[in-house]
Amino acid sequence: MAFGRRRQAEEPAEGPEVTEEPAETAEEAPAEAGAAKAESAAGGPWDSEESFPELQRLDFGALQVPVAPGLGFQVNFEATQVDEEGNPLDGRPVAVLVQYEESAMQLQVFAAPKRSGIWDDVRRETAKDIQEEAQGQTQEGEGPFGSELLAMVPAALTEEVLAEMPPEVREQIPAEFVEQGWAPQIIRFLGVDGPRWFLQAVVQGAAIEDEEQWQVLEDVLRGVVVHRGDAPMPPRELLELQIPQEFSEAGEDGQEEGVETFDPFERGPEITEVR
């Protein structure tokens, strides 16, 4: 999901136009940036320049994400070229999806100003966009990483959507939702302002209410390490992601398969690679 200027799909949660700040120069020392990082009760997410706990992590370039038993990982690609029918021909990675049982957490990381965070603005823009464009409802609250946003958006339940669902999932949908053609979908937005970066986490599924599943995803988020790099970038520009070696090895073993992309709002043509 993109936010901000809607100029390109790589930007974080959709919203009204904002003024782009000039790119920072590589020579500017981020001495004041450390204060922008949100304080959390148990450390991370971490900046790569900090001293952080040693954990087994997958290296996605700008994001290093902890691995643990039961976790699945997916990389969401955004098409950079499409054919005449709109089918993707080439793409670049734009998000990391962490899956655990019936829950999923999408991670994206963006450049941010040196002297201030952007989560407050992003949160307001996201809430406005959900209310005005998705006809949803939002509520702010406090969580383990500070201020967060809980949203309810109507999800279509067309015959096509129902037909693609596994039978065990379809059987759990209340008849009233099927009759009205939509069901409420709950989405949780979390943000962390770091030194010249902003990390956004979007959670869906059972972890919204299931504390055990949420705790697993929370531990993952706390263990994330962000590598900002020194390149000058305008605020809200997506930091570069890459495919871990483990993904390529899985593909060579014939274990790669297509998985539906997790994205609360339509982003456009995407290709997916999974571990």
Side-chain angles (χ1 to χ4, degrees), residues 64-129:
Q64 297 177 20
V65 184
V67 298
L71 295 179
F73 296 87
Q74 176 181 330
V75 176
N76 291 350
F77 283 72
E78 180 174 70
T80 54
Q81 295 183 20
V82 297
D83 61 20
E84 294 180 355
E85 298 179 353
N87 299 312
L89 299 174
D90 194 12
R92 62 167 186 163
V94 294
V96 176
L97 184 70
V98 183
Q99 298 167 309
Y100 180 70
E101 297 186 358
E102 298 86 27
S103 304
M105 177 172 65
Q106 185 191 63
L107 300 174
Q108 291 183 293
V109 63
F110 304 84
K114 182 177 67 173
R115 296 178 177 83
S116 63
I118 62 175
W119 176 222
D120 287 345
D121 290 339
V122 170
R123 196 170 62 255
R124 285 191 292 267
E125 293 165 10
T126 302
K128 183 177 180 181
D129 186 65

